[in-house]
Amino acid sequence: ILHPHFSSDGRQITWAERTGSGSKPFGSWVIRLADFRDDGAIPRLENIRTMTPLLAGRGGAFYETHGFSPDGLGLIFSSDVERGLKIYTFDVASGTTRKLTHEPRDWDEHAIFSPDGGRIAFISSRGLKFSTRPFELQTEFWLMRPDGGGQRRLTYFHQQGHRHHREADFQVAADSAWREDGRALAGLVIRHRPDTDQRGKGEIWLVEID
Protein backbone atom coordinates (compact mmCIF):
# COMPACT_ATOMS: atom_id res chain seq x y z
CA ILE A 1 0.00 0.00 0.00
CA LEU A 2 1.40 3.40 -0.99
CA HIS A 3 0.36 7.02 -0.45
CA PRO A 4 -3.19 6.96 0.96
CA HIS A 5 -4.93 10.35 0.74
CA PHE A 6 -8.28 11.65 2.01
CA SER A 7 -10.54 13.89 -0.03
CA SER A 8 -10.94 17.40 1.40
CA ASP A 9 -14.31 16.51 2.96
CA GLY A 10 -12.91 13.32 4.53
CA ARG A 11 -15.54 11.12 2.89
CA GLN A 12 -13.29 9.31 0.42
CA ILE A 13 -9.80 7.86 0.42
CA THR A 14 -7.52 6.78 -2.41
CA TRP A 15 -4.32 4.75 -2.39
CA ALA A 16 -2.01 2.74 -4.66
CA GLU A 17 -1.66 -1.01 -4.14
CA ARG A 18 0.88 -3.47 -5.53
CA THR A 19 -0.78 -6.52 -7.06
CA GLY A 20 2.12 -8.42 -8.63
CA SER A 21 5.64 -8.41 -10.00
CA GLY A 22 4.83 -7.68 -13.65
CA SER A 23 7.35 -6.67 -16.30
CA LYS A 24 7.89 -3.06 -15.21
CA PRO A 25 10.80 -2.17 -12.86
CA PHE A 26 8.47 -1.57 -9.87
CA GLY A 27 5.90 -4.29 -10.57
CA SER A 28 2.16 -4.14 -11.23
CA TRP A 29 -0.02 -1.72 -9.24
CA VAL A 30 -3.60 -0.45 -9.20
CA ILE A 31 -5.36 2.64 -7.85
CA ARG A 32 -8.04 2.04 -5.22
CA LEU A 33 -10.82 4.48 -4.34
CA ALA A 34 -13.20 3.93 -1.42
CA ASP A 35 -15.84 5.66 0.69
CA PHE A 36 -14.72 6.25 4.28
CA ARG A 37 -17.26 5.68 7.06
CA ASP A 38 -16.84 6.73 10.69
CA ASP A 39 -20.33 6.78 12.24
CA GLY A 40 -19.44 5.91 15.81
CA ALA A 41 -18.74 2.26 15.08
CA ILE A 42 -15.41 0.93 13.86
CA PRO A 43 -14.10 3.16 11.03
CA ARG A 44 -14.37 1.27 7.75
CA LEU A 45 -14.05 1.45 3.98
CA GLU A 46 -17.00 0.79 1.68
CA ASN A 47 -17.58 0.72 -2.07
CA ILE A 48 -13.93 -0.02 -2.90
CA ARG A 49 -13.22 0.52 -6.60
CA THR A 50 -10.14 -0.47 -8.60
CA MET A 51 -8.76 1.62 -11.46
CA THR A 52 -5.87 1.21 -13.92
CA PRO A 53 -5.94 4.36 -16.08
CA LEU A 54 -4.35 4.17 -19.54
CA LEU A 55 -3.58 0.45 -19.43
CA ALA A 56 -6.42 -0.89 -21.62
CA GLY A 57 -5.12 -4.45 -21.48
CA ARG A 58 -1.45 -3.54 -21.95
CA GLY A 59 -0.25 -5.40 -18.83
CA GLY A 60 0.76 -4.00 -15.45
CA ALA A 61 2.22 -0.63 -14.48
CA PHE A 62 3.33 1.37 -11.46
CA TYR A 63 0.84 3.84 -9.96
CA GLU A 64 1.40 6.29 -7.12
CA THR A 65 -1.56 8.28 -5.84
CA HIS A 66 -1.03 11.92 -4.85
CA GLY A 67 -4.53 12.87 -3.78
CA PHE A 68 -7.76 14.45 -4.95
CA SER A 69 -8.52 17.58 -6.88
CA PRO A 70 -9.92 20.30 -4.56
CA ASP A 71 -13.49 19.62 -5.77
CA GLY A 72 -13.09 15.91 -4.92
CA LEU A 73 -14.14 14.80 -8.41
CA GLY A 74 -10.71 13.86 -9.73
CA LEU A 75 -7.47 12.17 -8.72
CA ILE A 76 -3.87 13.11 -9.43
CA PHE A 77 -1.26 10.38 -9.73
CA SER A 78 2.06 9.31 -11.26
CA SER A 79 2.61 6.24 -13.43
CA ASP A 80 5.18 4.52 -15.62
CA VAL A 81 2.53 3.34 -18.09
CA GLU A 82 4.63 5.27 -20.60
CA ARG A 83 8.42 5.75 -20.43
CA GLY A 84 9.82 7.41 -17.31
CA LEU A 85 7.35 8.53 -14.65
CA LYS A 86 4.63 10.97 -15.67
CA ILE A 87 1.92 12.92 -13.81
CA TYR A 88 -1.75 12.54 -14.75
CA THR A 89 -5.18 13.62 -13.57
CA PHE A 90 -8.14 11.24 -13.70
CA ASP A 91 -11.81 12.22 -13.80
CA VAL A 92 -13.56 9.48 -11.82
CA ALA A 93 -17.03 9.98 -13.29
CA SER A 94 -16.02 9.99 -16.96
CA GLY A 95 -12.88 7.86 -16.73
CA THR A 96 -10.95 10.54 -18.64
CA THR A 97 -7.19 10.75 -18.06
CA ARG A 98 -5.07 13.82 -18.80
CA LYS A 99 -1.28 13.78 -19.00
CA LEU A 100 0.35 16.83 -17.40
CA THR A 101 4.06 16.06 -17.93
CA HIS A 102 5.41 14.67 -21.19
CA GLU A 103 9.18 14.22 -21.34
CA PRO A 104 9.91 10.43 -21.60
CA ARG A 105 13.38 10.73 -20.02
CA ASP A 106 12.16 12.42 -16.81
CA TRP A 107 10.96 11.25 -13.40
CA ASP A 108 7.93 13.39 -12.39
CA GLU A 109 6.19 12.64 -9.08
CA HIS A 110 4.59 13.89 -5.82
CA ALA A 111 2.09 16.24 -7.45
CA ILE A 112 -0.32 18.09 -5.16
CA PHE A 113 -2.93 20.76 -5.85
CA SER A 114 -2.67 24.12 -4.12
CA PRO A 115 -5.53 24.90 -1.69
CA ASP A 116 -7.37 26.98 -4.31
CA GLY A 117 -6.76 24.41 -7.06
CA GLY A 118 -4.97 26.97 -9.25
CA ARG A 119 -1.50 25.37 -9.16
CA ILE A 120 0.20 22.01 -8.76
CA ALA A 121 3.50 21.48 -6.99
CA PHE A 122 5.53 18.47 -8.11
CA ILE A 123 9.06 17.10 -8.30
CA SER A 124 11.04 16.40 -11.47
CA SER A 125 14.41 15.09 -12.59
CA ARG A 126 14.31 17.39 -15.62
CA GLY A 127 17.87 18.17 -16.71
CA LEU A 128 19.28 15.97 -13.93
CA LYS A 129 20.30 12.33 -13.43
CA PHE A 130 17.68 9.60 -13.68
CA SER A 131 18.09 5.87 -14.30
CA THR A 132 16.01 2.86 -13.22
CA ARG A 133 18.81 0.30 -13.70
CA PRO A 134 20.68 1.01 -11.52
CA PHE A 135 18.23 3.30 -9.76
CA GLU A 136 19.74 6.80 -9.64
CA LEU A 137 17.67 9.91 -9.10
CA GLN A 138 18.12 13.66 -8.67
CA THR A 139 15.05 15.91 -8.42
CA GLU A 140 13.93 19.49 -7.74
CA PHE A 141 10.61 21.08 -6.77
CA TRP A 142 8.57 22.45 -9.67
CA LEU A 143 5.26 24.25 -10.20
CA MET A 144 2.62 24.10 -12.96
CA ARG A 145 -0.97 25.00 -13.78
CA PRO A 146 -3.74 22.35 -13.47
CA ASP A 147 -3.65 21.86 -17.26
CA GLY A 148 0.11 21.14 -17.16
CA GLY A 149 1.09 24.52 -18.60
CA GLY A 150 3.40 27.16 -17.14
CA GLN A 151 5.87 24.67 -15.69
CA ARG A 152 8.71 26.30 -13.79
CA ARG A 153 11.47 25.15 -11.49
CA LEU A 154 11.37 26.36 -7.87
CA THR A 155 14.60 24.99 -6.36
CA TYR A 156 18.23 24.50 -7.43
CA PHE A 157 19.72 22.04 -4.98
CA HIS A 158 21.97 20.56 -7.69
CA GLN A 159 23.24 23.81 -9.23
CA GLN A 160 26.76 24.73 -8.15
CA GLY A 161 26.98 28.32 -6.92
CA HIS A 162 23.23 28.75 -6.36
CA ARG A 163 22.09 29.73 -2.86
CA HIS A 164 19.97 26.55 -2.69
CA HIS A 165 22.94 24.28 -3.40
CA ARG A 166 24.22 21.93 -0.73
CA GLU A 167 27.35 19.80 -0.94
CA ALA A 168 25.88 16.29 -0.97
CA ASP A 169 26.23 13.36 -3.37
CA PHE A 170 22.54 12.51 -3.04
CA GLN A 171 19.74 15.09 -3.10
CA VAL A 172 16.16 14.13 -3.92
CA ALA A 173 13.25 16.56 -3.53
CA ALA A 174 10.31 14.41 -2.43
CA ASP A 175 6.93 14.92 -0.72
CA SER A 176 5.65 18.41 0.01
CA ALA A 177 2.61 20.11 1.56
CA TRP A 178 1.07 23.49 0.76
CA ARG A 179 0.63 26.21 3.35
CA GLU A 180 -3.04 27.19 3.66
CA ASP A 181 -2.50 30.56 1.96
CA GLY A 182 -0.97 28.85 -1.10
CA ARG A 183 2.18 30.96 -0.96
CA ALA A 184 4.66 28.39 0.38
CA LEU A 185 5.50 24.68 0.48
CA ALA A 186 7.08 22.55 3.18
CA GLY A 187 9.16 20.03 1.26
CA LEU A 188 11.26 17.01 2.17
CA VAL A 189 14.72 16.75 0.61
CA ILE A 190 16.21 13.27 1.08
CA ARG A 191 19.99 13.35 1.45
CA HIS A 192 20.91 9.70 2.01
CA ARG A 193 20.92 6.90 -0.55
CA PRO A 194 18.30 4.15 -0.29
CA ASP A 195 20.99 1.45 -0.04
CA THR A 196 22.38 2.82 3.27
CA ASP A 197 21.21 2.54 6.89
CA GLN A 198 20.34 6.27 6.76
CA ARG A 199 17.86 5.84 3.89
CA GLY A 200 14.97 8.28 3.85
CA LYS A 201 16.65 10.81 6.14
CA GLY A 202 16.92 14.41 5.04
CA GLU A 203 15.75 17.95 5.70
CA ILE A 204 12.50 19.91 5.55
CA TRP A 205 12.72 23.06 3.44
CA LEU A 206 10.30 25.96 3.40
CA VAL A 207 9.89 26.99 -0.24
CA GLU A 208 8.28 30.42 -0.56
CA ILE A 209 6.58 31.06 -3.92
CA ASP A 210 6.61 34.58 -5.34
Side-chain angles (χ1 to χ4, degrees):
I1 302 297
L2 186 64
H3 267 268
H5 293 273
F6 279 103
S7 59
S8 58
D9 62 9
R11 295 179 179 179
Q12 290 186 302
I13 188 170
T14 186
W15 68 92
E17 185 172 329
R18 192 172 190 264
T19 56
S21 56
S23 59
K24 294 278 188 175
F26 308 110
S28 296
W29 294 67
V30 298
I31 293 174
R32 307 281 197 205
L33 176 65
D35 298 331
F36 179 71
R37 297 286 183 263
D38 186 7
D39 52 11
I42 297 175
R44 63 195 184 278
L45 301 179
E46 296 179 349
N47 189 27
I48 298 175
R49 288 143 282 172
T50 299
M51 294 162 287
T52 53
L54 298 170
L55 274 184
R58 289 191 293 167
F62 173 70
Y63 292 99
E64 182 175 81
T65 45
H66 302 312
F68 291 81
S69 57
D71 61 12
L73 301 178
L75 304 176
I76 188 164
F77 67 95
S78 296
S79 179
D80 66 354
V81 171
E82 302 171 276
R83 290 183 59 194
L85 195 70
K86 302 288 158 285
I87 296 169
Y88 305 84
T89 54
F90 178 72
D91 184 275
V92 176
S94 67
T96 303
T97 305
R98 183 173 193 170
K99 183 164 63 173
L100 302 185
T101 59
H102 300 269
E103 176 53 55
R105 293 180 294 271
D106 291 344
W107 179 279
D108 301 318
E109 192 183 15
H110 297 309
I112 53 172
F113 280 95
S114 62
D116 65 1
R119 292 173 293 178
I120 295 171
F122 67 104
I123 63 105
S124 180
S125 67
R126 200 167 308 178
L128 302 170
K129 185 184 296 185
F130 162 52
S131 171
T132 57
R133 294 190 176 101
F135 188 70
E136 296 181 286
L137 183 63
Q138 296 176 341
T139 57
E140 302 280 357
F141 291 110
W142 283 68
L143 199 66
M144 62 180 164
R145 296 194 302 266
D147 62 0
Q151 296 184 15
R152 66 183 179 101
R153 184 172 167 177
L154 295 176
T155 58
Y156 295 84
F157 302 123
H158 298 85
Q159 184 171 310
Q160 291 279 352
H162 196 279
R163 61 191 178 90
H164 296 170
H165 179 72
R166 298 288 298 276
E167 290 296 337
D169 65 349
F170 190 80
Q171 302 185 82
V172 175
D175 284 290
S176 64
W178 283 90
R179 197 165 66 191
E180 284 189 0
D181 63 6
R183 299 177 63 184
L185 295 168
L188 169 65
V189 180
I190 299 172
R191 298 206 181 274
H192 295 275
R193 295 186 178 278
D195 56 353
T196 70
D197 60 2
Q198 299 293 305
R199 64 174 297 169
K201 292 186 177 180
E203 303 169 341
I204 301 294
W205 280 64
L206 177 65
V207 182
E208 294 183 332
I209 301 170
D210 57 25

